[in-house]
Amino acid sequence: MSLHLGDIAPDFEQDSSEGRIKFHEWLGNSWGILFSHPADFTPVCTTELGLTAKLKGEFEKRGVKAIALSVDPVESHKQWINDINETQNTVVNFPILADGDRKVSELYDMIHPNANATLTVRSLFIIDPAKKVRLIITYPASAGRNFNEVLRVIDSLQLTDSHSVATPGNWQDGDDVVIVPSLQDPEIIKQKFPKGYKAIKPYLRITPQPNK
Ligand code: BEZ
């Protein structure tokens, strides 16, 4: 099944390194990142899972729960977690789904047969508290993902959900933002952006980040 932004993230029940998971129930009211990797005991995946564990505090600050997936079994995940903890100097603190029957991989279109017939590629989904899919990225097996970029997009989504702004290219939390083009009423603009804004073009209006 092919998923699109704004779709409800499909619910599922699957085994994991932390026991059976009912996905929507497990998410509760949190944001979520669900990400697949090709296989256990592989070097790039080992670094990615170590990074995710080390970013626990950053995810928690933003109300985000992380969950990984590969098609390897629970026992393999548990042994590999020991290696990740040892080599990445961390403690894996999130579940890894054991998707041996490809149930979740198929629901989320994580197997790309022309890349690999049986293994999942590096898919990543950001899911909001309403269970809507807000970001989909797909990386090849050979390229590890940038988890600082994942945090950056979560910051952008959480900011833009609550203010009438969007975030420019390469934006980082604290940088100036742009006022959404649909907002035109001068009185409402004044109320929403008391620090003012600079109109470089009528459609390009820069303002300090409103929640800072
Ligand atoms: C890795 O995670 O290191 C990896 C997995 C599949 C192919 C290449 C690298």
Side-chain angles (χ1 to χ4, degrees):
M1 177 176 146
S2 163
L3 276 177
H4 296 117
L5 298 188
D7 290 354
I8 295 294
D11 197 14
F12 58 80
E13 193 174 331
Q14 186 57 288
D15 291 329
S16 85
S17 56
E18 297 186 2
R20 192 94 181 145
I21 298 238
K22 292 180 179 172
F23 187 51
H24 281 195
E25 193 179 289
W26 176 85
L27 279 170
N29 294 321
S30 298
W31 288 72
I33 64 162
L34 166 65
F35 62 108
S36 59
H37 54 269
D40 294 359
F41 301 104
T42 50
V44 176
C45 304
T46 300
T47 61
E48 285 193 323
L49 272 68
L51 279 170
T52 306
K54 285 182 187 162
L55 288 172
K56 184 182 173 68
E58 294 300 319
F59 286 123
E60 274 180 357
K61 255 196 251 169
R62 294 161 174 85
V64 180
K65 293 171 94 171
I67 186 164
L69 172 150
S70 84
V71 298
D72 290 319
V74 166
E75 268 322 302
S76 162
H77 287 350
K78 287 186 175 167
Q79 285 171 28
W80 182 41
I81 284 170
N82 292 335
D83 282 7
I84 299 168
N85 292 346
E86 177 195 327
T87 61
Q88 306 304 300
N89 200 18
T90 188
V91 176
V92 171
N93 40 39
F94 55 88
I96 308 175
L97 292 164
D99 198 39
D101 59 5
R102 274 61 169 175
K103 181 166 58 187
V104 182
S105 311
E106 282 168 17
L107 270 176
Y108 283 81
D109 199 21
M110 291 165 164
I111 296 178
H112 295 200
N114 292 325
N116 187 299
T118 53
L119 302 179
T120 43
V121 291
R122 293 187 201 284
S123 299
L124 187 147
F125 300 84
I126 295 178
I127 297 160
D128 73 14
K131 313 284 184 292
K132 282 195 177 156
V133 175
R134 302 296 299 276
L135 171 96
I136 303 172
I137 56 172
T138 308
Y139 275 47
S142 53
R145 286 156 287 200
N146 184 333
F147 287 82
N148 291 324
E149 169 63 1
V150 175
L151 289 172
R152 192 189 75 89
V153 179
I154 291 166
D155 284 342
S156 173
L157 287 167
Q158 294 184 343
L159 171 71
T160 59
D161 277 359
S162 53
H163 295 85
S164 302
V165 298
T167 57
N170 280 354
W171 173 84
Q172 295 287 346
D173 189 38
D175 289 351
D176 287 352
V177 297
V178 295
I179 298 174
V180 291
S182 57
L183 185 57
Q184 291 294 335
D185 184 320
E187 276 313 305
I188 296 179
I189 292 178
K190 219 186 267 175
Q191 278 166 28
K192 284 189 180 253
F193 304 105
K195 295 175 202 154
Y197 67 92
K198 188 169 159 196
I200 296 167
K201 292 280 181 190
Y203 58 85
L204 179 56
R205 299 169 298 177
I206 311 288
T207 189
Q209 185 170 322
N211 62 349
K212 290 283 174 184

